[in-house]
């Protein structure tokens, strides 16, 4: 029996807004990836499928044990649990310690059972996950990536029939993502993965796509899904083109019929004036022509309405599937020389290896390094927030810092105020035109930044930075971390066409390569 069977489920918010309706699905494949734009309801759908949330309408049948990983802040950050306590082995480790100290109480032996190598095995596993090997280490002192690995590892060690993983790779570096992929492939149960990470989605057996059009299912992994989506988009384009051609053909035919009717009417009037034919015959011919013309007009009107409805339905679907586009300023940066020059620089935190980094006005650099190597510290130095312990650092450019929250923007400003305030010399009319170019028209320009989604903040940020007098140096600190797949691809394309320089930190190699990086700078180790 399938672990999940859902029949015509719908979810409405308290204000009556409908998030989705009449979705049906059955989870049969080993690994299923759930994708879709941010805000479409993926996490809510997953909560309903695992019966953590009730649908407004419909039914879900759940068979088997389910465990869930969420992207919400971990409760461990506010706890006083140690690694051993969180993993549920603290009592066993204590029993081992008591026995080693000479205790002979039977209860200690009962606690140990056959787990005599637990301490050694646990330390080896912690080392493999790059976690502190001290089993008494406080969980609250772990980094975001370490916490993610710890929680995920516990899930993979469970006896769950289904794991629901909601954005599990958000805090993981390259090694962490490879570890996660291996754990997923070795897991004996089923997995429902909610993710924008193509590296993980390529391991799936099936892709579910949630959109305002419903829940579509595609066989194969992410690459198969993209290929099928491409074929769908091409077919939809052909259908829209065919309907538009049919509409034009109908209009031409209608005009031709009208002209012929007017010609026949003119000929009838001429015959009537000459008196060469009986009036009753002419009246009959006129009535017959009028009736035929009326029937044709009705048929044409009906056909026109059907084509209009078909075109409207196709264009609504096209709005959901068409690739997003972003039009940047094509201004060229004429500055010469180095924008950034760091010679023998030593960071205040992270790696002690000296940094030698030179950037010109068109440099596009991928900044690599494991967690803790000092990537964020280097970006902080370039922003002027920290200084090097030693070495020289020269920055000859305006610097914009864009992280995963796009904190460049002021949350209490409207989009219109943001553009007019941050783009020198741009007046309201031009600002409205620029905002319309990224999808914000009429009163939507008065939405405040704090009300925008991650993808919307990204588009607004890139609009601002691309309309500066000189192209600023962009410091991109995992800007793709919370973006959906479509927004990721749009940002990558935007960066690829950016005429200035940037330094990019990201663990998503697909995103990095699509961004057009020209070189890699590897942060050294101590």
């Amino acid at each position: 029996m399938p672990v999940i069977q859902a029949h015509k489920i719908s979810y409405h918010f308290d204000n009556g807004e409908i998030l989705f309706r009449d979705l049906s699905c059955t989870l049969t494949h080993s690994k299923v990836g759930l994708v879709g734009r941010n805000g479409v309801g993926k996490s809510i759908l997953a909560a309903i499928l695992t019966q953590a949330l009730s649908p407004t309408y419909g039914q879900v049948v759940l068979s088997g044990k389910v465990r869930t990983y969420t992207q919400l802040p971990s409760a461990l950050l506010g706890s006083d649990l140690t690694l051993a306590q969180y993993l549920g082995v603290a009592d066993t480790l204590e029993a081992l310690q008591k026995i080693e100290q000479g205790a002979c109480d039977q209860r200690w032996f009962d606690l140990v059972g056959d787990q005599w190598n637990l301490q050694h095995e646990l330390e080896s596993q912690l080392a493999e996950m790059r976690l502190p090997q001290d089993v008494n280490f406080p969980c609250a002192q772990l980094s975001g990536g370490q916490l993610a690995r710890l929680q995920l590892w516990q899930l993979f060690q469970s006896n769950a029939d289904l794991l629901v993983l909601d954005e599990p790779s958000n805090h993981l570096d390259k090694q962490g993502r490879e570890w996660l992929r291996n754990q997923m492939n070795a897991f004996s149960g089923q997995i429902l993965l909610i993710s924008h990470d193509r590296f993980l989605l390529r391991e799936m057996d099936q892709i579910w796509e949630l959109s305002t059009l419903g829940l579509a299912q595609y066989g194969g992994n992410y690459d198969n899904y993209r290929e099928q989506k491409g074929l769908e988009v091409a077919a939809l384009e052909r259908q829209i083109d065919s309907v538009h051609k049919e509409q034009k053909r109908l209009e031409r035919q209608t005009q031709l019929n009208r002209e012929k009717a007017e010609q026949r009417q003119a000929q009838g009037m001429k015959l009537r004036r000459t008196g060469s034919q009986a009036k009753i015959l002419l009246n009959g011919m006129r009535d017959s022509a009028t009736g035929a013309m009326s029937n044709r007009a009705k048929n044409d009107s009906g056909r026109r309405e059907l084509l209009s409805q078909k075109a409207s339905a196709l264009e609504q679907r096209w709005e959901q599937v068409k690739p997003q586009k972003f039009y940047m300023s094509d201004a060229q940066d004429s500055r010469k020389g180095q924008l950034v020059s760091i010679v023998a620089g030593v960071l205040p935190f992270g790696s002690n290896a000296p940094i030698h980094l030179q950037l010109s006005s068109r440099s596009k650099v991928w900044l690599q390094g494991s967690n803790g190597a000092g990537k964020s510290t280097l970006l902080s130095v370039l922003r002027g927030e920290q200084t090097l312990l030693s070495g020289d650092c020269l920055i000859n450019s305006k610097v914009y810092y864009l992280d995963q929250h796009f904190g460049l923007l002021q949350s209490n400003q409207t989009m219109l105020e943001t553009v007019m305030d941050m783009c020198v010399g741009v007046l309201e009319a031009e600002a409205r035109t620029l905002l319309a170019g990224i999808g914000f028209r009429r009163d939507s320009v008065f939405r405040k930044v704090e009300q925008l989604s991650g993808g919307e903040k990204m588009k607004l940020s890139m609009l601002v930075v691309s309309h500066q007098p000189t192209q600023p140096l962009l410091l991109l600190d995992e800007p793709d971390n919370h973006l959906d797949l479509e927004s990721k691809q749009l940002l990558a394309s935007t960066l690829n066409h950016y005429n200035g320089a940037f330094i990019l930190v990201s663990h998503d190699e697909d995103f990095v390569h699509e961004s057009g990086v020209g070189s890699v700078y590897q942060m050294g180790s101590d």
Side-chain angles (χ1 to χ4, degrees):
M1 184 176 181
V3 178
I4 292 175
Q5 295 182 82
H7 180 66
K8 290 191 174 181
I9 57 174
S10 302
Y11 187 79
H12 300 183
F13 292 111
D14 292 340
N15 62 4
E17 181 185 351
I18 299 174
L19 184 62
F20 49 72
R21 69 172 78 199
D22 294 335
L23 302 184
S24 297
C25 59
T26 301
L27 186 69
T28 56
H29 289 73
S30 296
K31 296 191 289 292
V32 174
L34 177 59
V35 301
R37 294 179 180 176
N38 287 341
V40 77
K42 300 186 296 297
S43 296
I44 289 178
L45 174 60
I48 291 173
L49 293 178
T50 57
Q51 296 184 337
L53 181 67
S54 298
T56 307
Y57 301 105
Q59 182 183 20
V60 175
V61 178
L62 184 63
S63 304
K65 186 176 180 181
V66 179
R67 298 287 299 274
T68 302
Y69 174 89
T70 70
Q71 54 181 317
L72 298 175
S74 174
L76 291 174
L77 291 173
S79 76
D80 57 1
L81 293 178
T82 65
L83 290 175
Q85 289 171 332
Y86 175 73
L87 295 173
V89 295
D91 290 343
T92 306
L93 291 173
E94 182 187 5
L96 283 169
Q97 186 178 29
K98 293 289 186 182
I99 293 171
E100 287 175 0
Q101 293 172 352
C104 298
D105 194 318
Q106 183 59 41
R107 67 189 178 103
W108 301 125
F109 290 89
D110 292 340
L111 276 172
V112 172
D114 58 357
Q115 301 181 79
W116 295 102
N117 293 321
L118 177 61
Q119 178 91 24
H120 175 72
E121 290 172 356
L122 185 57
E123 289 175 355
S124 297
Q125 289 164 339
L126 291 171
E128 180 185 346
M129 292 186 292
R130 291 184 294 142
L131 295 174
Q133 295 176 49
D134 177 6
V135 294
N136 295 313
F137 191 89
C139 292
Q141 295 181 23
L142 296 174
S143 69
Q146 290 174 325
L147 275 173
R149 287 195 296 274
L150 176 65
Q151 293 173 291
L152 287 165
W153 180 68
Q154 188 189 47
L155 292 181
F156 287 120
Q157 299 303 307
S158 71
N159 59 352
D161 300 295
L162 170 67
L163 296 183
V164 178
L165 309 178
D166 193 350
E167 298 290 357
S169 62
N170 266 2
H171 297 289
L172 300 181
D173 58 16
K174 182 179 180 180
Q175 289 177 300
R177 290 164 69 231
E178 289 175 348
W179 170 84
L180 175 56
R181 179 187 62 180
N182 294 336
Q183 292 291 316
M184 288 170 53
N185 288 334
F187 183 64
S188 59
Q190 291 177 277
I191 291 175
L192 177 61
L193 172 71
I194 306 170
S195 180
H196 306 306
D197 191 332
R198 286 166 282 186
F199 177 76
L200 298 179
L201 291 171
R202 289 193 176 97
E203 303 300 315
M204 299 296 103
D205 306 312
Q206 188 181 38
I207 300 293
W208 291 358
E209 182 190 49
L210 182 62
S211 72
T212 57
L213 301 173
L215 184 67
Q217 300 179 26
Y218 298 84
N221 67 6
Y222 173 79
D223 292 327
N224 299 123
Y225 154 74
R226 289 305 306 170
E227 183 178 355
Q228 293 174 69
K229 284 286 291 183
L231 294 174
E232 281 186 13
V233 170
L236 188 58
E237 288 176 334
R238 289 194 297 270
Q239 287 179 284
I240 292 173
D241 185 57
S242 176
V243 169
H244 287 166
K245 286 180 178 178
E246 181 63 18
Q247 287 176 314
K248 291 179 180 178
R249 188 201 65 76
L250 180 60
E251 292 304 319
R252 289 195 299 268
Q253 187 61 49
T254 300
Q255 179 63 27
L256 182 60
N257 291 341
R258 187 182 298 112
E259 291 173 356
K260 287 182 177 179
E262 290 173 351
Q263 290 174 1
R264 287 194 294 269
Q265 186 179 27
Q267 290 172 355
M269 293 296 293
K270 185 176 181 181
L271 285 173
R272 191 179 293 274
R273 284 195 297 270
T274 62
S276 60
Q277 293 196 31
K279 188 174 182 180
I280 191 170
L281 178 62
L282 291 173
N283 288 342
M285 293 171 62
R286 180 193 62 193
D287 292 343
S288 176
T290 300
M293 185 169 66
S294 176
N295 287 335
R296 279 196 298 271
K298 288 180 181 178
N299 289 337
D300 288 348
S301 177
R303 178 67 176 157
R304 188 178 295 108
E305 179 62 24
L306 286 174
L307 286 172
S308 177
Q309 291 175 359
K310 188 174 182 180
S312 177
L314 289 171
E315 285 165 359
Q316 284 180 13
R317 180 169 177 79
W318 173 246
E319 285 299 316
Q320 294 299 317
V321 302
K322 70 178 182 180
Q324 294 188 63
K325 294 183 178 180
F326 185 93
Y327 299 98
M328 298 186 67
S329 169
D330 57 2
Q332 298 290 327
D333 198 334
S334 60
R335 288 175 294 177
K336 303 294 183 181
Q338 299 293 330
L339 295 188
V340 172
S341 177
I342 299 179
V343 179
V346 176
L347 298 175
F349 302 100
S351 170
N352 289 326
I355 294 173
H356 304 277
L357 179 64
Q358 309 289 319
L359 270 69
S360 68
S361 61
R362 299 298 295 274
S363 296
K364 296 184 176 183
V365 178
W366 182 17
L367 184 60
Q368 285 188 319
S370 59
N371 289 343
K375 300 186 297 296
S376 295
T377 304
L378 174 58
L379 296 185
S380 181
V381 168
L382 293 173
R383 293 162 63 190
E385 294 187 346
Q386 298 188 57
T387 57
L388 297 172
L389 291 179
S390 61
D392 298 319
C393 178
L394 174 65
I395 301 173
N396 183 30
S397 173
K398 190 170 185 178
V399 175
Y400 279 175
Y401 175 73
L402 284 81
D403 61 0
Q404 56 192 280
H405 305 295
F406 295 92
L408 165 75
L409 309 172
Q410 298 296 317
S411 61
N412 61 345
Q413 283 191 323
T414 66
M415 287 187 283
L416 184 62
E417 289 170 339
T418 298
V419 175
M420 293 176 64
D421 183 48
M422 299 187 72
C423 301
V424 179
V426 173
L427 301 179
E428 181 173 343
E430 185 182 357
R432 283 180 170 273
T433 300
L434 292 175
L435 287 167
I438 59 173
F440 300 108
R441 297 176 176 83
R442 302 183 180 89
D443 289 345
S444 66
V445 301
F446 297 113
R447 287 173 61 194
K448 289 196 172 183
V449 168
E450 62 189 4
Q451 299 172 325
L452 303 181
S453 69
E456 290 170 332
K457 288 179 181 178
M458 176 273 292
K459 288 193 284 187
L460 181 59
S461 295
M462 293 308 299
L463 176 68
V464 166
V465 301
S466 69
H467 285 80
Q468 300 301 311
T470 58
Q471 303 298 285
L473 168 65
L474 305 184
L475 305 179
L476 302 153
D477 193 358
E478 301 191 52
D480 57 312
N481 213 12
H482 294 295
L483 297 181
D484 58 45
L485 282 166
E486 204 168 356
S487 296
K488 269 193 179 189
Q489 292 166 333
L490 178 61
L491 177 56
S493 175
T494 303
L495 291 173
N496 198 358
H497 292 91
Y498 182 60
N499 288 324
F502 65 71
I503 297 176
L504 172 63
V505 177
S506 174
H507 300 305
D508 187 335
E509 292 188 30
D510 289 294
F511 172 75
V512 169
H513 295 314
E514 290 169 2
S515 298
V517 296
S519 61
V520 176
Y521 187 85
Q522 180 71 45
M523 296 292 292
S525 57
D526 295 355

